[in-house]
Amino acid sequence: MSELKNKIDFLAVVSVKNANPNGDPLSGNMPRVTNDGLGEISDVCIKRKIRNRWMDMGEPVFVQSDDKKTDGCKSLSERVKEQTELAKAQKEKKKDEFAKIACGKWLDVRSFGQVFAFKDKKKDEDKDTEGVSVGVRGPVSVHPAFSVDSVSTASIQITKSVNSETNEKNPDKKSSDTMGMKHRVEFGLYVVKGSINVQLAEKTGFTEEDAEKLKEALRTLFLNDISSARPDGSMQVHNLYWWKHNCAIGQYSAAKVHGSVKISLKDGIEEAQSYEDYSIEIEELPGLDVEIINGL
């Protein structure tokens, strides 16, 4: 394994066409939109997709979603207890050893970090006692993604062809649960930004090989991510920009690096309908090369 010695910044350009990239549960699962009308995808949502891609690639992941989990664990605490070394370190309250083992075991822990906060149980009493809380700071930071321009959302009412439950008073009558709503973004071009910190990578053991796995996950972010809200082909990574600095702290700030990618509507186009309606230019930063990778 090669130690990570150079800071990395990355940026992905993502298009959304007639899909709900990230529903807001506080707004009836409507697509997330800022006060300025820009579409938004939370960093939590993006990291969930990265984890899913890693799992598809056969990598060990700690925070597994219920529909993709590879073991029979019903909770994160169960997943910890299944690891003998971790359970022993937790019981003996060896926090540094616990964090080292967890980082070595799971790619997402040594990438994004994790807070392990689980309660202990007394053997002779069914009461919670003070448990061990272990915090791991990960080197990979991911920003919430925002659209380049304001987005238009649409909603349609849908009906199910059959009742979920029989109406006891009137078996032939359709129940209220047959009615529902679906929401979508008609079109939006979103930008995903992030960085990898070398100092934190040293602490978690995040390597050059791990960075390559992150790059591949970002390039293929929406592969095998099909749902009713996101039909196959409705979301696409077009370009992934990958900057590798020549030192640990970086020649430039992440804000300046990310800001070097300029996205604007092409002349004569008032409202974008596709990725091709945009022009993308990259401002050259002396001494810093960028790798441009086509998405999938």
Side-chain angles (χ1 to χ4, degrees):
M1 291 288 186
S2 304
E3 181 182 352
L4 188 73
K5 296 182 178 180
N6 305 84
K7 183 191 175 185
I8 293 172
D9 290 304
F10 56 85
L11 182 150
V13 178
V14 173
S15 68
V16 177
K17 183 76 171 180
N18 291 324
N20 187 347
N22 187 201
D24 185 351
L26 296 179
S27 298
N29 209 42
M30 287 280 291
R32 296 181 189 271
V33 178
T34 69
N35 292 333
D36 295 328
L38 299 180
E40 179 179 1
I41 306 174
S42 73
D43 59 314
V44 175
C45 176
I46 296 167
K47 287 187 280 190
R48 176 70 269 156
K49 295 182 188 303
I50 293 172
R51 285 184 168 100
N52 288 346
R53 290 298 302 123
W54 281 338
M55 292 180 69
D56 292 338
M57 293 158 59
E59 298 297 331
V61 167
F62 177 62
V63 183
Q64 302 177 17
S65 60
D66 287 340
D67 60 338
K68 290 184 73 72
K69 65 183 177 182
T70 57
D71 53 33
C73 298
K74 296 181 174 62
S75 65
L76 298 180
S77 61
E78 282 190 17
R79 193 160 289 127
V80 168
K81 290 174 183 176
E82 278 205 342
Q83 306 299 317
T84 306
E85 291 179 307
L86 275 177
K88 182 180 178 182
Q90 181 185 11
K91 183 177 180 180
E92 296 176 355
K93 301 186 186 300
K94 296 180 179 179
K95 296 186 177 183
D96 291 342
E97 182 179 346
F98 184 100
K100 183 178 180 180
I101 296 170
C103 288
K105 174 68 179 174
W106 292 296
L107 176 55
D108 60 331
V109 174
R110 65 177 178 268
S111 301
F112 305 128
Q114 181 68 34
V115 176
F116 297 89
F118 307 120
K119 294 180 180 179
D120 290 333
K121 294 275 189 180
K122 286 184 178 180
K123 292 183 179 179
D124 55 343
E125 296 179 28
D126 189 24
K127 293 182 179 179
D128 292 334
T129 62
E130 184 179 355
V132 179
S133 179
V134 180
V136 177
R137 287 187 64 192
V140 179
S141 61
V142 179
H143 300 212
F146 296 96
S147 63
V148 176
D149 297 307
S150 59
V151 296
S152 297
T153 61
S155 299
I156 59 172
Q157 191 168 38
I158 58 174
T159 59
K160 290 188 289 185
S161 58
V162 64
N163 292 337
S164 296
E165 298 288 341
T166 302
N167 188 320
E168 294 182 1
K169 293 183 178 179
N170 189 351
D172 295 326
K173 182 180 179 182
K174 283 198 171 185
S175 59
S176 59
D177 67 356
T178 58
M179 307 295 290
M181 297 291 292
K182 287 190 69 174
H183 315 285
R184 67 178 186 269
V185 169
E186 294 182 332
F187 176 78
L189 194 68
Y190 291 68
V191 177
V192 178
K193 302 175 183 178
S195 303
I196 307 176
N197 180 283
V198 173
Q199 287 75 19
L200 293 176
E202 292 174 353
K203 293 183 178 180
T204 67
F206 186 91
T207 64
E208 289 277 3
E209 289 79 6
D210 291 334
E212 289 299 313
K213 292 171 185 175
L214 173 63
K215 182 196 293 184
E216 179 62 13
L218 288 166
R219 186 185 77 86
T220 61
L221 195 59
F222 304 108
L223 186 66
N224 199 25
D225 185 51
I226 304 166
S227 73
S228 173
R230 299 180 303 280
D232 201 4
S234 61
M235 297 186 67
Q236 181 181 357
V237 176
H238 291 273
N239 296 316
L240 173 62
Y241 300 85
W242 192 267
W243 295 269
K244 192 170 186 178
H245 297 253
N246 63 11
C247 59
I249 62 173
Q251 300 118 284
Y252 303 94
S253 69
K256 188 164 187 176
V257 173
H258 294 149
S260 66
V261 177
K262 312 291 185 182
I263 305 176
S264 59
L265 285 171
K266 292 180 179 178
D267 292 341
I269 297 178
E270 296 183 359
E271 184 176 351
Q273 301 294 327
S274 69
Y275 167 77
E276 286 72 23
D277 291 338
Y278 284 95
S279 173
I280 302 179
E281 298 179 355
I282 306 176
E283 177 187 350
E284 182 179 353
L285 297 176
L288 181 62
D289 293 328
V290 56
E291 181 183 1
I292 305 175
I293 307 153
N294 291 329
L296 184 63

